[in-house]
Amino acid sequence: MTCFCVFCTLFTSSPPPPLSLQHFLLYCSYDSLHFLVWRESDKSLTLLAKDYEPVVLHATGLMSRGGAMSFVCHDDRENLQFLQYAPNDVASRGGNKLVCRADFHLGAQTTALQSHFCRSSLLVNSATPTSTLAALKQQDPLFGRIEDDQRFAVHFGSVDGGLASLVPLSEQAYWRLTALQSVMSNALESSCALSCRAWRLYRRSARRGGCRSSDRMKGVIDGELVAKFADLSLATQEDLASAIGSTVELIMDNILDLKCAGMVI
């Protein structure tokens, strides 16, 4: 006997992400993810797009940066996929398919992905965040209005007791940390000589792996690896920073921003 589990997620947050209460994510343990909208005019649910790959999903969540939105999916192979509703993209088949933008092997199982608002490092480390926010807005009228100040991340707990967050990055910070990740994976020793890159590659299902495209999208930075930069000696940090054409201060600022944006409490 085959059992099917169907779950429906309605996103509500404060402040709200760029989705109304009329949008739903429907995911099941056989037919992947569906993005629907409730139409009040005829009291019906209308399918906007779906993921055509037959993936067994255990959890789904929402992350955004400014006007860019992504649906995060966690499957039975302990992978993460980042899908977007992009009706103008050629790969979306006229808007009917959710487009995969990135994938990542998490290596842990979870059953829930929750969204939270990303706080600025300037406010997290302040003893008086209310007065600090007022001072920042007075000093910079655009503070709180740019895309990096309007981010929603995803946090989750794993069945083995872990706690982690997925944080959207600006393009400049992403490419800087991607270069740092590449250099660190080659320069630093790893446990048992294991490859960090191979571990984080998307794992296909043996049962239905042939249904998915053979191209891995990647596009996700391994925060566990990049965070080790802060524990290195100053000389090693300077060598790694100069190898990617950056500075230690700029990289440390990006890592601090990541940690503050991933904070839930």
Side-chain angles (χ1 to χ4, degrees), residues 68-96:
M69 235 180 359
S70 294
F71 306 130
V72 187
C73 304
H74 183 269
D75 62 25
D76 61 331
R77 304 287 290 181
E78 300 179 349
N79 297 310
L80 290 173
Q81 278 187 285
F82 298 79
L83 307 176
Q84 274 191 342
Y85 175 60
N88 296 326
D89 195 307
V90 177
S92 66
R93 301 181 183 176
N96 297 319

Side-chain angles (χ1 to χ4, degrees), residues 73-232:
C73 304
H74 183 269
D75 62 25
D76 61 331
R77 304 287 290 181
E78 300 179 349
N79 297 310
L80 290 173
Q81 278 187 285
F82 298 79
L83 307 176
Q84 274 191 342
Y85 175 60
N88 296 326
D89 195 307
V90 177
S92 66
R93 301 181 183 176
N96 297 319
K97 179 183 178 182
L98 294 174
V99 182
C100 181
R101 298 300 190 188
D103 51 41
F104 184 77
H105 180 67
L106 183 63
Q109 198 63 258
T110 185
T111 57
L113 300 173
Q114 299 293 329
S115 301
H116 69 270
F117 185 71
C118 296
R119 293 176 292 174
S120 170
S121 59
L122 299 175
L123 300 179
V124 171
N125 299 314
S126 174
T128 56
T130 304
S131 58
T132 302
L133 178 60
L136 289 172
K137 287 184 176 180
Q138 184 177 4
Q139 183 179 3
D140 184 7
L142 295 179
F143 183 83
R145 300 181 182 180
I146 60 177
E147 290 184 342
D148 279 343
D149 296 329
Q150 300 175 3
R151 293 183 295 171
F152 276 84
V154 171
H155 66 274
F156 58 90
S158 62
V159 296
D160 56 2
L163 180 64
S165 296
L166 303 169
V167 180
L169 292 173
S170 65
E171 184 176 0
Q172 187 177 13
Y174 168 76
W175 288 115
R176 181 181 300 114
L177 294 181
T178 297
L180 178 65
Q181 175 182 255
S182 178
V183 171
M184 290 183 64
S185 62
N186 294 326
L188 302 183
E189 294 183 359
S190 59
S191 301
C192 303
L194 297 176
S195 173
C196 297
R197 295 178 179 177
W199 169 248
R200 295 305 184 184
L201 291 178
Y202 184 93
R203 309 292 174 88
R204 298 179 180 86
S205 171
R207 181 162 57 96
R208 291 175 289 180
C211 299
R212 190 178 187 273
S213 172
S214 59
D215 295 332
R216 292 184 173 97
M217 302 301 296
K218 301 180 182 180
V220 180
I221 294 173
D222 188 353
E224 184 178 1
L225 175 61
V226 172
K228 293 180 181 179
F229 180 85
D231 299 328
L232 301 175

